[in-house]
Amino acid sequence: MKKMEEILENHKKGNITEKDAVRMINDCFYSDIGHTVIDTGREERTGYPEAVFCHGKTEKQIVDILAAMNRKKINVIATRLEHDIYKNISSLLPEGKYSADAGILTIENRKIKKREGGCIAVVCAGTSDICVAEEAAVTAEFYGHEVRRFYDAGIAGIHRLFRVIDKIREANVVITAAGMEGALPGVVAGLVSSPVIAVPVSSGYGASFNGITALLSMLSTCATGVSVVNIGNGFGAAQVASRICMSGAGK
Amino acid sequence: MKKMEEILENHKKGNITEKDAVRMINDCFYSDIGHTVIDTGREERTGYPEAVFCHGKTEKQIVDILAAMNRKKINVIATRLEHDIYKNISSLLPEGKYSADAGILTIENRKIKKREGGCIAVVCAGTSDICVAEEAAVTAEFYGHEVRRFYDAGIAGIHRLFRVIDKIREANVVITAAGMEGALPGVVAGLVSSPVIAVPVSSGYGASFNGITALLSMLSTCATGVSVVNIGNGFGAAQVASRICMSGAGK
Amino acid sequence: MKKMEEILENHKKGNITEKDAVRMINDCFYSDIGHTVIDTGREERTGYPEAVFCHGKTEKQIVDILAAMNRKKINVIATRLEHDIYKNISSLLPEGKYSADAGILTIENRKIKKREGGCIAVVCAGTSDICVAEEAAVTAEFYGHEVRRFYDAGIAGIHRLFRVIDKIREANVVITAAGMEGALPGVVAGLVSSPVIAVPVSSGYGASFNGITALLSMLSTCATGVSVVNIGNGFGAAQVASRICMSGAGK
Amino acid sequence: MKKMEEILENHKKGNITEKDAVRMINDCFYSDIGHTVIDTGREERTGYPEAVFCHGKTEKQIVDILAAMNRKKINVIATRLEHDIYKNISSLLPEGKYSADAGILTIENRKIKKREGGCIAVVCAGTSDICVAEEAAVTAEFYGHEVRRFYDAGIAGIHRLFRVIDKIREANVVITAAGMEGALPGVVAGLVSSPVIAVPVSSGYGASFNGITALLSMLSTCATGVSVVNIGNGFGAAQVASRICMSGAGK
Amino acid sequence: MKKMEEILENHKKGNITEKDAVRMINDCFYSDIGHTVIDTGREERTGYPEAVFCHGKTEKQIVDILAAMNRKKINVIATRLEHDIYKNISSLLPEGKYSADAGILTIENRKIKKREGGCIAVVCAGTSDICVAEEAAVTAEFYGHEVRRFYDAGIAGIHRLFRVIDKIREANVVITAAGMEGALPGVVAGLVSSPVIAVPVSSGYGASFNGITALLSMLSTCATGVSVVNIGNGFGAAQVASRICMSGAGK
Amino acid sequence: MKKMEEILENHKKGNITEKDAVRMINDCFYSDIGHTVIDTGREERTGYPEAVFCHGKTEKQIVDILAAMNRKKINVIATRLEHDIYKNISSLLPEGKYSADAGILTIENRKIKKREGGCIAVVCAGTSDICVAEEAAVTAEFYGHEVRRFYDAGIAGIHRLFRVIDKIREANVVITAAGMEGALPGVVAGLVSSPVIAVPVSSGYGASFNGITALLSMLSTCATGVSVVNIGNGFGAAQVASRICMSGAGK
Amino acid sequence: MKKMEEILENHKKGNITEKDAVRMINDCFYSDIGHTVIDTGREERTGYPEAVFCHGKTEKQIVDILAAMNRKKINVIATRLEHDIYKNISSLLPEGKYSADAGILTIENRKIKKREGGCIAVVCAGTSDICVAEEAAVTAEFYGHEVRRFYDAGIAGIHRLFRVIDKIREANVVITAAGMEGALPGVVAGLVSSPVIAVPVSSGYGASFNGITALLSMLSTCATGVSVVNIGNGFGAAQVASRICMSGAGK
Amino acid sequence: MKKMEEILENHKKGNITEKDAVRMINDCFYSDIGHTVIDTGREERTGYPEAVFCHGKTEKQIVDILAAMNRKKINVIATRLEHDIYKNISSLLPEGKYSADAGILTIENRKIKKREGGCIAVVCAGTSDICVAEEAAVTAEFYGHEVRRFYDAGIAGIHRLFRVIDKIREANVVITAAGMEGALPGVVAGLVSSPVIAVPVSSGYGASFNGITALLSMLSTCATGVSVVNIGNGFGAAQVASRICMSGAGK
């Protein structure tokens, strides 16, 4: 942790007081802004900066948090940020890049480095699943991964999947988002040898139960190589995918 | 109803008393044996004899009912009859034919006529689903239908389905039994043009929830042409299939 | 597939380049418009054109998809299209026919042929169930079937059912939509010999649970000949009914 | 409370000591036998003696309780007493009358008086529902009511109901026990003017969910005049019926 | 049925044609207005006029139905009619009497006769339960019963219940509405000898689950004499209460 | 109860009539304002004044109740009072103190006495949990307790918890609010020796099910010393914490 | 930690080798016996020795663990130990004290010290709840607390509760176990000022759902001062009660 | 596929007839033994031999399948094989190796090759979770992976986890099995950088709901890098882990 060594050295040299040194060292770890304690050291510790889950936070809380992160020059990823809220706060965050499909705002305060850990395929079943697929794709790109999108490839017209399956096979890990009966991950897992991360989506008629049916179906699949994240959790899928890319021992 | 006309004529001629006539007419409709009122006229009215659902009945009740039906020369189909119970009562019902796989006892008191309404395919996903598939198949055969079985054709090794799909296509209606994530009916429905009746089966790990996941998944399928019956209800599936065979206007 | 043969012949004769031939052949199967991959060959393959499930799609996505289908001269059926959305986009789709009761927009780009596969009865229990019943009825008519409607025939005043039951008996298949305790399909199935497709509707007081009680009740019915589709899925019921009409071997 | 007055008078006269008087007065209200505190005064207070719910109690606890009640000359009704347990303890309770169908043991330590509050009809759908219906019937008889039983009158063969409906109409209150989709109470309520108490029974295939489907269906019925008790709670239904008989102001 | 005899006599005398007679007889039973078939003969048959459940119906459907009932001079009770909808349609139904608390509109086209069947107590636990309690009270009054209200008498401050319990005891039947843990009906049932009808209400914190907890708790109560109707179904509770008043054989 | 003695003495002296005395004594216990019966004597009896749960009450009902409590000079705590409703009624309750974070309005009509029963720590996992934590904290302060807040101390960045854990250890009881998987209470309970009250919060992705997952997880924790209140019930947590402070026998 | 200091001193003096010292220090914290890692230092750290939850462990595993704890002279409490298993292993653990009602085996390897933190009342509703109440009571006694038992005090005969309520009021904390609708904790909490810990029990008819109804009801109670532990978790209730006794600041 | 080329060459040379060639080629893909169609070519296609899920199969079916696989010299892994069943069939499968802890029988008909794809850590929370952890570990070893076990490392005594965490960090992927509140995977994921596969286990008190609470908790975790498989599905976790090892691009 280079920054802390600098502080200690400056303190030793008498450039900064002990009180200032303590405050500056604290700043390496967290920043307390009253309603929120920002984990400023997370990227250094884990390789991934803290993410802000906007759902359930007020506009003011979101702006406070993002502004504080900007001051610290931390890379910002804010998920589940509704378009209407973004429009209200966008003038305060002019450097932000917003994806309406993904509901994600990113601010690249430090240059994002490309990761060498292979490529991530993001496949979704239907047009209604794009928002979740994009949450995964934008997050993975923000983490420095190469992402390839394959949308509206659901099993109702399975030739739409077959025309892209060879490209999906090239990926090191596959994220599949699907609603209704959630059969896509199992079918994909039968056609590729990479691990498949299944993301249930809350689309479909009554007994789809806002994604519960897809969730249970994915957990119960007889296909091999599928693991599951929470309903609609494209962000979490991207995190798992990123770890897989960085961790495996190679084909 | 030929039988009732005979009674009335005999009564008119004075061959039987009024009291006897009333009793004999009653017998055309039901037979009251205390704990159970057997619907003796059902086959005449609906084309299908009454079925006895053995689950939840005592051995004595089952024997009483079947004996009464034998006395009336009604064709007997008793479902959900466990092997151990059958062994205890089989000596009392020597004419019965028992299928252990299906858990069904049938007694052909009147010759079953072959129905001309086409053929029924019964497809199941795995070895664990055979009991439900057999309940459907044996019932449909008892109703006079031609049945073709395609077992262990689940999607985990989908070439096992493809090697028989052309024969499945020849059927007028397809019954598919599957547990786990219940994806088979949707896949079959995408490959045939006949109506597909889905039967959820209670096999699979924890979150299969004894067939609930398969049930919800089948109800939520994005494939077309699938309708669903209760978990494990092979008997009900056969009834629907039989009605479809007898009712449609032809290809 | 007549169209593809023409392309091949024109290519052989040198009328079109290889590159154009590939593009034109691709067009026979699907049309990729970015967020959606339209299955343009479905009607040719299955006898039924692709349907657009509007719930969860943005206005722009819906218009894009329908416009692309119009360009391909595919017959259009768009379900779950809310009245307010339809009003916003209707000027862009002047040829569309909208049923507010069914929430369905249809565009007859090619003349719909009448199917000879018998007649479909659509029965509903109460006024609140009409929207689901109409989704089934309009879909079945779009598929070329003769449809007869019997509305507000629920069992609370069962003489309302009895006054129409003879006409219902004439149908080859019966679709019944009902909410609350969902008893109508079982009662109808006891009075007709055709297969009965039950559609649960999300009407009723608290413990109706938005159609779940009706769904469970229909699945558990002791009546014979009933199969079930998803809550509110009138569209799916029509698909099953159409397959039944086209598939059976005759009465 | 006649007995207490006697104690007080005897105490006043000096026939019994104060300590004995306190103990004897206590005995009018409860009897503490360690694991259980028997409510000995309930019949005096409410008109109904305490009932013993045997499920979950050990054989020893049951015998202790019943013996203590016998000593107090309280009328005993013990419900949910399994046949095997009864056989083990019957020699200790020779005066008991056991109904295996109802799972109820009664001991008439005081002569049960006939109640004038009208008659209770107990109707059940199928043979599997008899155990619950009998729990209701035996309880109501123990409370002094006239009970009429109508068994196996379910709606699958509705003429079995119609042949007895006129007799059911004569009752002041109707208890109906049914499993599967639980449609019987609603149908009965449409045919009689008395209040109908619905008892869900845990019979039926998978999605009957051990009576939950019947429970929800009964709660959601569009028929009027139906209220519901717990799954399998024939005992509770009899209690409600008894109160209705004793409470109403007359036809 | 006096009216029908008049028609037949007039037809016999030649005052009306056969076609008119058929139409007039039909009118005694139902009135078909397209989307709805009004059960015009219900009051004659059952003693209670048809009720209109407004939830899920459009404003136009509601007005159509009520206008048709007015034309037939049937007494009107329309439940679950939201205040905003009432305001839009009130000018078309000037004779209607609207209770905002109950969400009920009544029109007394024929003089309501007072019923002699005793008195109904309506008790509710808290202020939030008044809407459901009023649905029950207004309905029971519309049916001609004497109703006594006891509101905000929940068990959190049980002396509020005790100050009115003697008056509650005088009623022939008690309706109790309660949310949260739904304990009120059990407590009341322990203090009165009349039958208690429990209505779960959807008030309370998270795990109250919109009345499900109250529903399950009421079904599971160890108190005697309680039966349950659907969540929020004050209307149904009034129907059961009315039947009890009219049916019992007297105290 | 000093006040009642005064009334009795004044009555004895002839200063007030019997009728007035009765009314005044009644007023010590409750105040009936039509839709609500205010428990005016609760603070005297229990040490805690009645609280008003605003959710599900109309603006008018809330104002009526609070005004009546003001007239009686009772301390007021109104929970679940939405900001918009508060804004509409605030001019009528100028003495009220409103916390938007907690959704609580308090009016200190009598001076609140500080309780000596130790200190309460309120810990929450994330920014989204603050509303529930504040409901607990503001309530506990209104009851006279010293409260210390530790917010955004969730386990995702566990060093945020460790930097405050020593201060949390000083409290006599710890309230922990957390959503998602609800792991915070178990972790805190492993680090302190005080009892831990867990409050589930309805934040998180799909399968968090509005706090149900957190609730079940907290109930199932393998850590010792954790008990649980309803989802979002900060108010109830404060009540339990207050009882613990006042009741324990000391460290 | 006195023991570790001894080891270090002995090592310093050369009495034991470094290797032995490391092993002996490890032993202060845990003991690894292959399938289980016993937390040998827990009593020293937390004041409570490790408990063994026997459900789901094999007989061999249980014996291994208890024997290892005996060797370390740790006090043993093994919960959920079924009687049949205990009988098989009791000869190997002659020093153990087994409570069949509680399903608990304790071995007092070190003298249990009496805690001064006040007294714990354990109240249960019915005879069927005793097993859970005893699990709480035996655990609390093992932890050195004074425990008072009040059994079969449920609300069905509420005078049974009233005759003991004054003694319950003397306790510093009250544990209440109840099944069915779980109303007892709320009633008790309204009558005492101590904190009340509610333990749901899995007794009751169908819709009691093995304690889920009691659990939800307890969480939703409108009474104040109640917190809840897992279904049947008497052990956990005792842990919370013990912490409350030791932590509060005094009345 | 070397074997098929041999068949074709032999056929070309006339060494085998066409009929024999067809049969031999078929044998490369599947082996139909009546009740089961064995996917004999799976290892060749996917790198993993077919696994036999024994739950729900009869003893005879299991023996038939394993014998057929032996005849084909396929490596056998049979999961969920209960000890009692194994004992009955072990003499027929003398070459089998059975793990009672894992419930797995393996037969190494061909030498299993070690995979170079890194190492898999299997961590479990408590002794009760070992069966699931072993299912994962034995499966992964059968697939040729290096496996390291870390058992009884749950968070109740978190120093048991800390003493092994450095070794867990060395693995390329971590499988964590936990019951109760299922917090272990989230804690582990916060301490390692590899992907974490969470397996819910069905241990714990009532509201653990046989693993559902752990499942929901794991899906809802706020920690990053966790994906989930079905309850108790150690086998599926091993499959995902194997794919991760083989697929990633390297650290």
Side-chain angles (χ1 to χ4, degrees), chain G residues 142-156:
Chain G
F142 177 76
Y143 288 165
H145 291 280
E146 184 193 342
V147 172
R148 299 195 197 145
R149 289 159 171 84
F150 305 92
Y151 288 177
D152 202 19
I155 62 167

Side-chain angles (χ1 to χ4, degrees), chain E residues 69-204:
Chain E
M69 294 175 85
N70 279 343
R71 280 194 302 274
K72 295 283 175 189
K73 294 296 169 209
I74 301 171
N75 278 341
V76 170
I77 180 164
T79 63
R80 294 290 160 109
L81 180 61
E82 289 175 25
H83 205 176
D84 287 351
I85 295 180
Y86 171 67
K87 280 190 279 194
N88 292 342
I89 67 176
S90 61
S91 62
L92 301 169
L93 301 158
E95 68 281 39
K97 203 171 125 195
Y98 182 70
S99 159
D101 281 339
I104 288 181
L105 177 81
T106 52
I107 306 174
E108 198 174 338
N109 283 312
R110 306 174 193 179
K111 179 70 193 165
I112 293 170
K113 270 177 287 185
K114 197 160 168 44
R115 290 182 197 256
E116 298 302 324
C119 145
I120 298 169
V122 179
V123 186
C124 82
T127 311
S128 310
D129 308 322
I130 290 181
C131 51
V132 173
E134 275 298 300
E135 187 178 294
V138 170
T139 300
E141 286 172 342
F142 178 75
Y143 287 166
H145 291 282
E146 186 194 340
V147 171
R148 298 196 197 144
R149 289 160 171 86
F150 305 92
Y151 289 177
D152 202 18
I155 62 166
I158 203 149
H159 59 294
R160 295 181 304 184
L161 178 62
F162 286 147
R163 73 182 181 106
V164 292
I165 193 68
D166 284 336
K167 288 184 192 150
I168 296 174
R169 277 203 190 95
E170 293 169 11
N172 292 68
V173 55
V174 184
I175 295 170
T176 52
M180 295 177 168
E181 87 270 49
L184 184 61
V187 172
V188 169
L191 298 168
V192 307
S193 61
S194 306
V196 173
I197 303 164
V199 197
V201 178
S202 63
S203 56

Side-chain angles (χ1 to χ4, degrees), chain B residues 127-128, chain H residues 33 35-36 38 52-70 76-82 84-86 89-90 92-93 105 107:
Chain B
T127 311
S128 309
Chain H
I33 58 171
H35 52 73
T36 306
I38 299 163
V52 182
F53 179 60
C54 297
H55 180 82
K57 294 197 173 69
T58 64
E59 281 184 19
K60 190 187 167 305
Q61 289 173 337
I62 295 168
V63 170
D64 285 355
I65 295 169
L66 300 193
M69 293 174 85
N70 279 343
V76 170
I77 179 163
T79 65
R80 295 290 159 108
L81 180 61
E82 288 175 25
D84 286 351
I85 294 181
Y86 170 67
I89 66 175
S90 60
L92 302 169
L93 300 157
L105 177 81
I107 306 174

